[in-house]
Amino acid sequence: MAVTSELRQRTALNKVSEPQPAADFLHPSGKAKYGRFRSYLRAFTFSVYFMSGIVVTHITQILGSPLYFINKELYYAYMSLTKANFGLLTTTMTQWWAPTVIRVSGDASVAAQLSITPDGRIECSFPERLVLIANHQIYTDWLYLWWVGYTNNPQMHGHIYIILKESLKWIPFIGPGCMFLSFIFMSRKMATDRPRLAHRLGKLKMEHEKPDGTKYQNPMWLLLFPEGTNLSGNGRKKSAAWAAKSGQIDLQHLMLPRSTGMYFCLTELKGTVDYVYDCTVAYEGIPRGKYGEDFFSLSSTYFQGRPPKSVNFYWRRFAVADIPLDTAEEFDAWMRKVWAEKDELMEQYMASGRFPSNGAGIKGHIETEVRTKYGWEFVKIFTMLGAFGLLFNVILKVLRHIARG
C-alpha cells in the first residue's frame, strides 16, 4: 500500500526516539502550533484549571466522607458524583487544550449501539455493567475511554473503575482521590493483589434492595488494559522475548496480553456482568515501528498544540457466557486469539489509515470530537463545593443569631 510505504519511509528518516526540533515535520501532527511563550502560557492556564479541579474534587470527597459511617449506599452514590466531576474535568481539558477528531466504527456485535446526534456528538448505548478492555497505546488512553462513558446513554462517567499501579497511590491529591473513587491499586504480584482485588470486586458485584424488594447491582464499567503498560520499544522487546520463551506467536503492533488478572476479574464477576467490550485504539500518523509515547507527550499534546490528528476506536462485544472460564489455560488461549485479531485490525489501520467501517449498523465511520453536551457543564465540577460553602455559611449565621439571641 502507498500509505504503508510512506510510513516506512518516515520511520527510516526518524532514527531517534524523540523527534528533534530540526525534524518537527516528522511529527504526526506537524509543526508545533504554538511558540515557546504561548506554550508556557497554555501550560500555566492548563495547570491552573486542572489543579483547581483536582483540589476542589478532593476537598468535596473529604467533606462527604462521613457519609460512609452513616449510610454506605449514600456514600458510594455521592462519590460517583465526584467521579463524574473528574470525568468532566478531563473531558473539558481535552476539549479546550487538545481538540482532536474521534473516529469510531465496530463490528456487528455493537450494531445499533453507536449513533450520531443532530449536533454531531456520538452517543453510545452500552449496558450499565460491563468489563471494558483495550490495547494500551499511550498514557492518555484512559482519558479518551473515560469520555466514552460520558457519551453513553445512560451516562457512565461516574461509574468507571480502573486498576492502577500501586505507586500512584502516593501522589498528593490524585492518589487519595482515586482511593475515594474506589479505584483498585495493584502491586503486580498476584499473591498480594488477589485478596484486595477480591475485596473490591466483591463490592462491585454486591446486591442491593429497593423499597419494593427488587434486587439490583450498581452500575459499573471496569476498565482493564491486559497488556499491563503502554506500548513502548522496551515493552515490545519484553513481549517478543516472552513469545519466544513460551512458544507463542509474537504480535507486530501490540504486546502480548497478561490474562491472569482479567481471568480473576471475570470469574469473580461471572453472573453479574453479561458482556466484555473490546476497544482497539489507534492514533493517526504514528510511523510503523514507532510508538505513541515518542510523539504525544503531555507537552506536545496540551501545550504545543500537537494532539493526535485523530483517535480511532474499533468496538467489539463478547458475551461472558461464550468466554471459556473453566480453566486459566483455556482463557489464556482465548485472550491470545482476541489480541491476535486486534493486531490484524492494527495492521489494517497502519496500511489504510482506517479501521473497518462495516458491521456496526452505521454508514462508514462516525466522526466526532471530545466535548461536552453543554458549554457550561464544567461548572458542575465546582458546584458541590460551592453548595457546601453556602451550607456552612447558613449554619454560621444561624449560630451567630443564636449566640446573640
Side-chain angles (χ1 to χ4, degrees):
M1 292 280 195
V3 175
T4 305
S5 175
E6 181 182 348
L7 289 172
R8 284 174 174 162
Q9 288 173 11
R10 290 183 183 181
T11 303
L13 289 170
N14 189 11
K15 293 295 185 181
V16 293
S17 60
E18 282 288 340
Q20 301 300 312
D24 269 353
F25 66 92
L26 292 177
H27 192 285
S29 299
K31 293 183 178 181
K33 187 176 180 181
Y34 304 104
R36 180 172 297 180
F37 175 76
R38 292 187 67 184
S39 294
Y40 285 151
L41 182 60
R42 287 170 60 84
F44 173 75
T45 55
F46 175 90
S47 300
V48 169
Y49 179 67
F50 180 69
M51 289 309 302
S52 63
I54 289 287
V55 171
V56 165
T57 300
H58 190 46
I59 292 174
T60 305
Q61 291 173 327
I62 293 171
L63 291 173
S65 60
L67 288 173
Y68 184 84
F69 305 100
I70 300 171
N71 185 308
K72 286 185 173 59
E73 289 189 26
L74 186 59
Y75 166 82
Y76 287 117
Y78 177 91
M79 289 302 164
S80 75
L81 291 177
T82 70
K83 187 182 294 185
N85 286 345
F86 183 77
L88 280 174
L89 176 65
T90 57
T91 295
T92 50
M93 75 185 196
T94 301
Q95 177 182 350
W96 297 339
W97 278 276
T100 184
V101 171
I102 306 292
R103 190 175 294 116
V104 183
S105 61
D107 70 4
S109 66
V110 293
Q113 293 186 304
L114 302 170
S115 60
I116 194 80
T117 64
D119 62 348
R121 293 175 298 104
I122 191 171
E123 186 172 87
C124 304
S125 299
F126 297 165
E128 292 188 357
R129 290 182 62 83
L130 57 84
V131 173
L132 169 57
I133 60 174
N135 55 307
H136 206 351
Q137 293 285 287
I138 58 177
Y139 288 112
T140 51
D141 289 331
W142 62 271
L143 184 153
Y144 296 108
L145 292 169
W146 200 324
W147 164 77
V148 172
Y150 171 85
T151 70
N152 200 66
N153 184 19
Q155 289 186 327
M156 292 298 298
H157 61 302
H159 303 284
I160 288 179
Y161 297 86
I162 303 176
I163 294 179
L164 304 170
K165 296 178 184 178
E166 191 169 32
S167 58
L168 297 176
K169 185 189 297 185
W170 310 113
I171 299 176
F173 293 106
I174 293 178
C178 288
M179 286 190 278
F180 275 122
L181 298 181
S182 300
F183 287 173
I184 304 169
F185 292 94
M186 302 281 278
S187 67
R188 294 185 177 177
K189 296 178 181 178
M190 205 57 192
T192 302
D193 294 332
R194 192 181 298 271
R196 68 177 69 167
L197 188 55
H199 174 73
R200 288 304 321 153
L201 294 175
K203 288 184 177 292
L204 293 179
K205 67 180 180 180
M206 186 179 297
E207 279 194 341
H208 305 276
E209 187 173 329
K210 295 180 180 179
D212 63 359
T214 305
K215 302 284 187 180
Y216 72 96
Q217 289 155 332
N218 286 329
M220 176 209 74
W221 279 19
L222 179 61
L223 173 58
L224 303 173
F225 292 106
E227 290 165 313
T229 187
N230 64 293
L231 186 65
S232 65
N234 187 48
R236 278 292 302 122
K237 289 178 182 177
K238 290 182 178 179
S239 179
W242 172 248
K245 181 179 179 180
S246 58
Q248 301 180 41
I249 298 175
D250 192 22
L251 305 176
Q252 295 184 67
H253 309 291
L254 307 175
M255 295 181 292
L256 291 174
R258 304 177 183 185
S259 63
T260 305
M262 185 175 169
Y263 177 69
F264 185 80
C265 289
L266 287 181
T267 53
E268 287 289 307
L269 293 172
K270 190 176 181 180
T272 69
V273 172
D274 293 326
Y275 295 102
V276 171
Y277 277 70
D278 169 55
C279 185
T280 303
V281 185
Y283 295 87
E284 181 175 341
I286 299 175
R288 188 180 292 269
K290 292 293 183 180
Y291 308 100
E293 69 171 16
D294 296 334
F295 303 100
F296 301 119
S297 64
L298 180 69
S299 176
S300 66
T301 299
Y302 289 94
F303 308 155
Q304 298 174 10
R306 296 198 289 189
K309 286 185 177 180
S310 69
V311 181
N312 299 264
F313 292 155
Y314 187 81
W315 290 96
R316 298 184 294 171
R317 183 178 76 169
F318 302 97
V320 173
D322 296 333
I323 298 174
L325 295 174
D326 291 335
T327 67
E329 291 74 20
E330 288 179 320
F331 179 76
D332 183 65
W334 179 84
M335 275 291 291
R336 284 188 277 112
K337 177 177 177 291
V338 168
W339 241 248
E341 293 167 352
K342 288 168 73 70
D343 200 53
E344 291 175 4
L345 286 167
M346 289 295 295
E347 174 58 31
Q348 176 168 337
Y349 181 84
M350 292 297 295
S352 67
R354 293 288 189 277
F355 283 129
S357 62
N358 58 335
I362 53 178
K363 185 178 180 181
H365 298 78
I366 289 179
E367 289 198 0
T368 185
E369 57 187 348
V370 175
R371 64 183 174 95
T372 56
K373 184 176 182 180
Y374 304 106
W376 52 264
E377 279 193 83
F378 73 96
V379 175
K380 292 180 181 179
I381 301 167
F382 308 94
T383 299
M384 293 176 72
L385 184 58
F388 271 109
L390 290 173
L391 177 62
F392 290 152
N393 187 44
V394 170
I395 293 173
L396 285 174
K397 287 183 177 179
V398 171
L399 291 176
R400 287 171 184 169
H401 181 73
I402 293 173
R404 291 171 184 171

